[in-house]
Amino acid sequence: MINDLWFTIKQLDENSYAISEYGHWEKVHSFLLLGTEKAVLIDTGLGIDNIKRITDQLTTLPIEVITTHVHTDHIGSHEQYEIIYVHESDKDWLVNGIKGLSIEQIRKDISRDITLPTPETFNPDKYQPFQGEPTGLLKDGDVIELGNRRLIIYHTPGHSPGHISIFDETNGYLFTGDLLYDETPIYAFYPSTNPYDLVNSLERISEIPNVSMVYGSHNTLGLEPKILKEVKNAVKFLRENELTKFGTGIHKFNGFSVHF
């Protein structure tokens, strides 16, 4: 296995890898999924260091990037890859810049609470999120075939308009981006988010059958599928108590929390 100063690589199975950035407070995970014909990289991390250095060591297959959503910590190394996909509702953010977050706030967030040495190429004062045209647009229900592996795209807006979750039907892995993870709250409290949509999206992923493991983009790497039962209960609670709106605060459940 690769030993790297910035990235931590964990092999999930023979053809799946998590590439994590534990030296940053956001504890971001990107995921490399290998097939017989091509590979998919789910997100490209913070951009503090170049994730392509890692993926080049893990596979010689052509790599296509699938973007869970267009926030800084998920598009950091997009410029290193030729083929990039994003949901059609987040295309504008990828091309013209992320709405609702100033460059000053982005630079502040990218540079704080770092616990590992960063490469000399990283200068937070000049940090600029990727902007560019995607190779193609994704929509709900799209299927991506890797040869021996089938990925299904679910449009799960709320955290961003074009947020997606990816279900690896072959292995039962559900990649939830920033829709579901543990330890820190799921965020839907700033203007570019939508609490109502987020709750609908949580309900939707809770009903996906045959999930063997849930992989969020932050914090604990891999959550048992029983968390989806807790998600279903949380959705019911939030709706019955009319909490799915801005300003209702942090709501804690068994295994995760949501901040509106």
Side-chain angles (χ1 to χ4, degrees):
M1 188 50 65
I2 300 166
N3 290 318
D4 190 85
L5 292 175
W6 181 254
F7 296 102
T8 299
I9 298 87
K10 181 176 181 180
Q11 189 166 7
L12 307 178
D13 63 39
E14 186 179 359
N15 295 304
S16 308
Y17 298 88
I19 306 170
S20 305
E21 299 178 72
Y22 290 117
H24 189 270
W25 63 276
E26 292 191 88
K27 296 182 175 64
V28 176
H29 309 298
S30 303
F31 299 94
L32 181 66
L33 313 181
L34 310 182
T36 54
E37 297 177 1
K38 62 183 179 181
V40 154
L41 178 62
I42 300 175
D43 295 335
T44 61
L46 288 153
I48 289 176
D49 205 347
N50 180 8
I51 201 171
K52 191 172 186 293
R53 183 182 74 249
I54 303 301
T55 59
D56 282 350
Q57 295 178 70
L58 293 173
T59 186
T60 57
L61 289 164
I63 295 174
E64 298 180 359
V65 171
I66 297 179
T67 314
T68 60
H69 62 294
V70 179
H71 281 161
T72 306
D73 50 320
H74 299 262
I75 61 171
S77 288
H78 267 38
E79 65 183 9
Q80 300 293 328
Y81 297 90
E82 294 182 6
I83 301 176
I84 296 168
Y85 291 97
V86 67
H87 189 273
E88 52 195 351
S89 296
D90 267 12
K91 178 189 175 182
D92 179 66
W93 291 11
L94 192 71
V95 175
N96 298 310
I98 301 164
K99 302 295 187 295
L101 290 171
S102 68
I103 187 62
E104 290 79 17
Q105 185 63 48
I106 287 171
R107 288 172 176 170
K108 179 180 178 182
D109 288 341
I110 203 74
S111 62
R112 71 179 175 90
D113 300 331
I114 294 176
T115 57
L116 289 175
T118 57
E120 293 181 1
T121 53
F122 175 61
N123 181 349
D125 295 330
K126 295 183 179 180
Y127 182 89
Q128 193 71 37
F130 172 85
Q131 286 181 229
E133 287 282 347
T135 307
L137 300 178
L138 298 169
K139 61 182 185 301
D140 188 67
D142 279 351
V143 174
I144 299 172
E145 298 280 359
L146 304 186
N148 61 336
R149 197 168 190 174
R150 191 169 188 259
L151 309 181
I152 302 172
I153 303 300
Y154 285 82
H155 182 210
T156 51
H159 184 71
S160 80
H163 188 286
I164 62 169
S165 299
I166 300 107
F167 183 50
D168 176 359
E169 188 179 58
T170 307
N171 295 287
Y173 301 156
L174 178 60
F175 299 94
T176 55
D178 281 8
L179 175 61
L180 179 62
Y181 49 76
D182 69 353
E183 294 184 6
T184 55
I186 298 156
Y187 295 122
F189 63 84
Y190 38 81
S192 58
T193 63
N194 187 311
Y196 179 81
D197 285 348
L198 187 134
V199 169
N200 287 342
S201 294
L202 284 171
E203 180 178 47
R204 190 169 186 216
I205 65 166
S206 75
E207 296 172 346
I208 296 174
N210 303 316
V211 174
S212 64
M213 190 65 75
V214 177
Y215 289 104
S217 290
H218 299 276
N219 303 324
T220 299
L221 179 60
L223 303 173
E224 295 293 332
K226 63 184 179 182
I227 197 171
L228 297 176
K229 293 182 179 179
E230 300 298 333
V231 167
K232 187 168 287 191
N233 293 334
V235 166
K236 182 180 179 183
F237 175 84
L238 290 167
R239 286 176 176 161
E240 288 180 348
N241 291 277
E242 299 182 353
L243 296 170
T244 59
K245 53 191 176 184
F246 288 130
T248 60
I250 298 176
H251 310 288
K252 296 182 179 180
F253 303 101
N254 187 15
F256 70 103
S257 59
V258 183
H259 188 181
F260 293 147

